Amino acid sequence: MVGLFEDPTSRPLADRLRPQTLDQVVGQDHLVGENGPIGRMVRAQRLASMILWGTPGCGKTTIARLLADVTDLHFEPLSAIFSGVADLRKIFEKARERKAMGQGTLLFIDEIHRFNRAQQDSFLPYMEDGTIVLVGATTENPSFELNAALLSRSQVMVLKRIDEEGMDGLLIRAEQEMGFELPLTGEARQSVIAMADGDGRYLLNMAEELFTLPPGDALDTGDLATVIQKRAPIYDKGQEGHYNLISALHKSLRGSDCDAALYWLARMLAGGEDPNYIARRLLRFAVEDIGLADPNAMSQALHAWQSFERLGSPEGELALAQAVIYLGTAPKSNAAYAAYKSSVRSAKETGSLSPPMHILNAPTKMMKDLGYGKNYAYDHDAQDGFSGQNYFPDNMPRHNFYQPVERGFERDVKKRLLYWDKLRQERQKP
């Protein structure tokens, strides 16, 4: 009798369908295909150390295992979550022994970003002398999580999220393995693919659950909710996904595409982002990218934030959505933002120049005798309420930091500035 753990059908479906050759890997032809960097390495039988960066379930571990097979390297897998320096030392020692006997070692480190800087540094001498070929897998941006020395000795390979066509191909393979089709309507099949969110392993685990259902009518999308738990969106509030989505929201607003901005807002909220963080960024956007083109934008963003604080979730999210629509459709100007940055640069360059004497107060007789406040023109007493005096430091040329645009309210502001500039030139003539 075949034992339970010797029966191939007792293995998880995702394991049984794990690719046996690189050309069976789904969705990563840009890397493992004939003209891809990994494909070229395999043909040349010269494997370089690499970091495989991609979302969960896109094939990182599978590719590492297959690389060891096709290059005759000893495959040494290790998880950075459960391993430390002692484990690494043992592996390096065994790798040295294999090298002495003419065999190389492919050291696969899953979740390599979990290793600290000192642990990452321990790989370097063994990578340099050829004792190991390092293949690290990570779901996090290597430029943030891995040190520069390790990155300089490795090639970063970016794996793509498996697209719908690739995911459907995985379901077809699963059906061929099982010998019958999934009990799903066409729309429900698409829903299952969408629920997997590009994760092939998760998709096959869902399929395996569906294959165990008793025979009956095909499930529709409504039936799926009672059979399969919906997968939470992949979104790490402390990592790159957080910054990517807030960048997408900000740039969609800047591009006056409120529909795209609403989508990214919904994505962030669905991923569990703190609505207060989003509200803060909307207020910053109102100041940085709209400014005086629509002075009411700041009030809208601030009121949305206050409304959320008073309403809470889920009602408060509607206030954020309203602010997104307002900000997305408002006229845009970064003139105030640019003016401030320019004035900061100028202040740093000019050092500690004193204000001109005529605009300094003279609270004591000595200061008055020294010329503080002498010849100051009180603007309210001047013609048109404008004296045209100089307010920059003496011997410092006048700067026009603020350059309003011809959009929204700033069009009116620009007219005022031009009017005052004309009066200033007239009244500063000798």
Side-chain angles (χ1 to χ4, degrees), residues 58 66 84 91 104 136 188 198 322 328 341 344-345 387 413 421 429-430:
C58 66
L66 293 174
I91 288 173
Q322 178 175 309
K341 290 180 68 176
V344 168
R345 284 195 302 271
S387 67
V413 174
D421 189 55
K429 288 179 181 178

Side-chain angles (χ1 to χ4, degrees), residues 68-276:
D69 291 342
V70 297
T71 54
D72 293 325
L73 295 173
H74 176 81
F75 185 70
E76 190 72 61
L78 196 68
S79 171
I81 298 175
F82 304 111
S83 307
V85 174
D87 301 293
L88 290 173
R89 284 180 185 148
K90 292 176 184 177
I91 288 173
F92 294 148
E93 187 57 37
K94 289 180 180 178
R96 274 181 169 164
E97 293 173 2
R98 291 190 203 96
K99 184 184 178 187
M101 294 186 291
Q103 184 182 24
T105 299
L106 187 153
L107 175 57
F108 173 65
I109 307 292
D110 195 20
E111 304 287 339
I112 192 171
H113 60 275
R114 302 275 188 174
F115 275 146
N116 60 36
R117 301 288 172 172
Q119 290 169 319
Q120 291 177 30
D121 285 340
S122 69
F123 296 116
L124 304 181
Y126 301 99
M127 295 168 65
E128 289 176 347
D129 66 10
T131 300
I132 63 167
V133 173
L134 176 67
V135 178
T138 179
T139 56
E140 306 299 338
N141 190 326
S143 61
F144 296 157
E145 304 297 333
L146 303 182
N147 65 35
L150 184 59
L151 287 176
S152 71
R153 292 163 175 80
S154 311
Q155 294 187 37
V156 176
M157 306 291 182
V158 182
L159 281 73
K160 295 180 179 178
R161 176 182 180 274
I162 303 177
D163 60 17
E164 288 189 15
E165 183 180 354
M167 298 288 270
D168 191 57
L170 287 178
L171 289 183
I172 292 172
R173 285 192 199 176
E175 291 169 330
Q176 292 170 344
E177 171 72 15
M178 298 300 294
F180 59 96
E181 293 184 356
L182 286 163
L184 299 170
T185 65
E187 188 177 356
R189 188 184 185 94
Q190 290 303 116
S191 294
V192 168
I193 290 173
M195 289 165 69
D197 199 13
D199 186 333
R201 180 172 52 246
Y202 188 83
L203 177 74
L204 293 176
N205 288 341
M206 283 196 293
E208 187 166 29
E209 187 176 347
L210 292 168
F211 280 129
T212 64
L213 296 176
D217 294 335
L219 303 179
D220 60 22
T221 53
D223 299 326
L224 279 178
T226 63
V227 177
I228 298 177
Q229 282 290 327
K230 189 179 186 302
R231 174 190 176 96
I234 298 174
Y235 182 69
D236 189 335
K237 290 184 284 183
Q239 301 297 333
E240 191 196 14
H242 162 84
Y243 297 106
N244 285 347
L245 266 61
I246 195 62
S247 176
L249 172 61
H250 194 120
K251 289 182 173 64
S252 298
L253 289 172
R254 183 180 289 157
S256 298
D257 190 337
C258 68
D259 294 309
L262 283 169
Y263 170 77
W264 295 118
L265 170 69
R267 278 280 302 275
M268 295 183 78
L269 291 172
E273 182 59 77
D274 180 3
N276 286 290

